[in-house]
Amino acid sequence: MNSRIAGSMLRQLEPHLFSMAAISRSAATSGTVHSLLVGSTGTRAAPATWLASVRFAGTVPETVEGSEAAKKGDGTANCSAGGKKDKMLVSYWGMAPAKVVKEDGTEWKWPCFKPWDSYTSNQSIDLRKHHVPMTWGEKLAYWTVKALRVPTDIFFQRRYGYRVMMLETVAAVPGMVAGMVLHLRSLRRFEHSGGWIKALLEEAENERMHLMTFMEVTQPRWYERALVFAVQGVFFNAYFLAYILSPKLAHRMVGYLEEEAVHSYTEFLRDIDAGKIENVPAPAIAIDYWRLPPNAMLRDVVMVVRADEAHHRDVNHFASDIHFQGHELKELPAPVGYH
Ligand SMILES: [Fe+2]
Ligand SMILES: [Fe+2]
């Protein structure tokens, strides 16, 4: 009796316990699975064919050998699957992505963002703007950021490739935390946010795209990954607490962090111009995200990222000013869709 129950449980758990490759092999030999996803040839089985066959297959992982992205090595596989280039899911849930093309008619290759997420950088933004800290709270925010720069200078010195990559892992946190807090507040109070949820989540996504871009230029080492793990655990919770206690100081601190980011990217440019950092061709993901010319170089990427940081600086100082003047963010329209 017991062995029958154990056998039954094992059969139930089998798909979860054994490897995707084993499942894929067994499915392939039984002839029940057809790919629903566009393959490297760009063709798809007729709907009647794949619907009938996958009804019996369920959600089954299939190994796709030598996909176009993996072959090209241009970062698209990294964009889609975090580096796991060779696994695709076959499913009957009808979630196949729509085919998207670029303005020139060629196929859009990035699953992690679409043409309507890309934009042309506003390079006219004032890079020197600085909010002079007036209150004790602002001075605390300012000097906290300045103090955080000391260990960063010691650890990275002038290795700006690594430095900005690590900076982006931190910079992408505040927008997500603030957007999340405002999102929950909007639900609790049955009220609009004035666009601030969208603006702050846009900032978080924009920062994450900075990170994805620099990942194509510089790969983090194991101890840098460990550092990110530890810093994120502390910083996410600290910023969440700070945002609950004082959103005006939390935004002010991010404003100062962004001022430092502008400074770091200016130093990065200086080292590229001095020949200390090689001005390599821009990653493909950056060319499409910022609509750069095909022959763009690393220097062009740093220029547009620096402009983004200046915009984040202005958004966060603006948000802090709104609070300092005794208002709530929702009372003033957020700068949505502007980078
Ligand atoms: Fe950034
Ligand atoms: Fe930023």
Side-chain angles (χ1 to χ4, degrees), residues 209-249:
M209 287 301 291
H210 292 174
L211 177 64
M212 295 298 108
T213 297
F214 285 108
M215 289 272 295
E216 297 296 323
V217 181
T218 310
Q219 284 296 315
R221 288 168 276 203
W222 71 265
Y223 54 88
E224 286 161 341
R225 287 176 182 270
L227 185 64
V228 172
F229 200 79
V231 169
Q232 189 175 89
V234 173
F235 185 65
F236 178 93
N237 289 294
Y239 193 77
F240 175 69
L241 194 62
Y243 203 84
I244 296 292
L245 294 175
S246 176
K248 68 180 174 186
L249 289 182

Side-chain angles (χ1 to χ4, degrees), residues 61-205:
E62 183 181 21
T63 302
V64 178
E65 301 286 353
S67 67
E68 281 299 307
K71 277 187 225 163
K72 282 186 275 185
D74 61 0
T76 50
N78 204 25
C79 167
S80 64
K84 294 188 175 74
K85 297 172 189 167
D86 57 352
K87 300 275 191 314
M88 282 186 169
L89 287 178
V90 177
S91 166
Y92 59 78
W93 301 106
M95 299 300 291
K99 188 176 177 184
V100 178
V101 292
K102 292 166 76 169
E103 285 163 0
D104 61 6
T106 57
E107 191 171 354
W108 185 261
K109 60 185 178 181
W110 307 102
C112 55
F113 72 104
K114 300 296 178 195
W116 49 88
D117 299 315
S118 67
Y119 58 98
T120 304
S121 172
N122 172 16
Q123 291 290 314
S124 68
I125 196 161
D126 186 350
L127 299 169
R128 295 159 304 171
K129 272 201 279 185
H130 165 62
H131 177 86
V132 179
M134 304 296 284
T135 67
W136 69 265
E138 287 185 332
K139 285 175 183 163
L140 179 68
Y142 179 76
W143 287 111
T144 300
V145 171
K146 283 288 178 195
L148 287 173
R149 196 171 147 184
V150 174
T152 311
D153 284 346
I154 293 169
F155 191 80
F156 293 106
Q157 297 173 359
R158 292 196 74 84
R159 294 183 302 133
Y160 279 100
Y162 290 100
R163 187 179 179 128
V164 298
M165 185 177 63
M166 297 297 282
L167 175 77
E168 298 298 354
T169 68
V170 172
V173 171
M176 181 58 66
V177 171
M180 178 187 72
V181 170
L182 294 185
H183 175 77
L184 295 177
R185 182 173 298 156
S186 169
L187 302 181
R188 278 198 316 276
R189 296 183 180 175
F190 301 89
E191 65 185 23
H192 287 283
S193 73
W196 282 95
I197 298 170
K198 192 170 175 57
L200 291 164
L201 293 182
E202 266 182 7
E203 179 190 304
E205 174 64 6

Side-chain angles (χ1 to χ4, degrees), residues 171 207 258 309 312:
E207 295 286 19
E258 300 291 355
E309 306 299 7
H312 301 157

